Amino acid sequence: MADDSSRAGKRYTDPDIIAYVDRVHAAHDSGLAGAFSSPERDGLPAIQLGVSEGKLLEILIKLCGAKKVVEVGTLAGYSAIRIARALPADGKLWTVESDPRHAKVAEQNIAAAGFGDRVEVVVGTGVEALPKIAAHAPFDAVFIDADKESYPIYGEFAAAHVRRGGLIIGDNAYLFGNLCDDTERGRAMRAFHERAAESFDTVCVPTPDGMVVGIRN
Ligand code: DHB
Ligand code: MG
């Protein structure tokens, strides 16, 4: 159900509602809790996914029966753990992180959560690392949550290397409210939307900052 104002973007959520639904549907075990609180504890930017966004990512990866996944933008490993939870024991996630200090923190959090065996943190920018990871294609899903200027390149990677029926998922698709601006970043994020829509059956889920989800045609 929606009405004119909620369809136009007005939110019914507030901190109590968010806390309630996060607790009922997306509760953290110790591994998730450790990674979620890590940015604040370890001096990294606290720009990880929200709890319910993380659970949505986990459910989408599980739904498509993914075994091989690529993530661009690891930060402290919260979303990587969400993805890893959805993989079978012989599944694999390659997660790309440009900041070596973030990568080290993420490796520790991922190991503490018990997923060190199925997650490889690749240090480098997406532009540097993805061509090497491409040797393992085709992938079942690509999750993009890194530097916004390069989203068109990451979208191109996903279009080239995700199998039919596999997923593209992109965070911050509203670009912090600046998606329609006539700026380099605005143009880059719009190019990502349009490239994704060309090769995937897509929707932009109205999460707080928008999340593109698409199935490869
Ligand atoms: C920023 C990046 C993100 O991916 C996000 O979800 C929120 C903020 C940032 O760079 O500020
Ligand atoms: Mg993000």
Side-chain angles (χ1 to χ4, degrees):
M1 200 283 257
D3 53 34
D4 281 351
S5 65
S6 61
R7 269 191 292 269
K10 184 185 179 304
R11 303 255 155 205
Y12 290 127
T13 49
D14 64 21
D16 288 343
I17 291 176
I18 299 279
Y20 172 78
V21 297
D22 285 354
R23 174 161 51 81
V24 171
H25 301 289
H28 285 164
D29 64 9
S30 63
L32 286 167
F36 189 83
S37 57
S38 168
E40 209 172 335
R41 193 174 55 247
D42 298 314
L44 275 55
I47 55 173
Q48 67 274 39
L49 289 182
V51 175
S52 289
E53 293 169 307
K55 183 64 183 285
L56 175 63
L57 177 63
E58 184 178 330
I59 292 223
L60 289 169
I61 298 295
K62 205 183 274 183
L63 260 177
C64 78
K67 279 186 83 167
K68 290 195 290 175
V69 180
V70 176
E71 174 181 58
V72 193
T74 314
L75 191 63
Y78 177 68
S79 47
I81 294 168
R82 282 291 190 187
I83 293 167
R85 285 162 58 94
L87 294 175
D90 61 343
K92 171 114 191 221
L93 168 66
W94 292 264
T95 181
V96 178
E97 174 53 51
S98 63
D99 186 318
R101 196 169 68 86
H102 297 184
K104 197 160 175 230
V105 169
E107 269 176 350
Q108 289 165 356
N109 289 329
I110 292 162
F115 294 109
D117 60 333
R118 66 189 90 158
V119 180
E120 182 175 336
V121 181
V122 182
V123 182
T125 66
V127 172
E128 291 161 357
L130 289 176
K132 296 174 205 158
I133 294 171
H136 303 282
F139 302 107
D140 301 298
V142 172
F143 173 56
I144 300 162
D145 192 13
D147 58 306
K148 311 311 168 199
E149 293 77 9
S150 302
Y151 266 44
I153 293 165
Y154 306 148
E156 194 60 51
F157 174 85
H161 297 298
V162 171
R163 63 154 169 94
R164 276 171 76 95
L167 299 181
I168 187 171
I169 307 171
D171 190 36
N172 305 106
Y174 295 160
L175 193 59
F176 320 106
N178 301 318
L179 176 61
C180 296
D181 289 6
D182 188 22
T183 59
E184 192 72 36
R185 270 155 68 94
R187 282 188 288 275
M189 188 58 84
R190 293 197 298 279
F192 169 72
H193 277 263
E194 291 160 33
R195 183 66 188 88
E198 208 176 287
S199 294
F200 297 78
D201 189 11
T202 44
V203 64
C204 186
V205 182
T207 58
D209 196 23
M211 188 179 278
V212 165
V213 176
I215 303 177
R216 185 73 170 92
N217 296 323

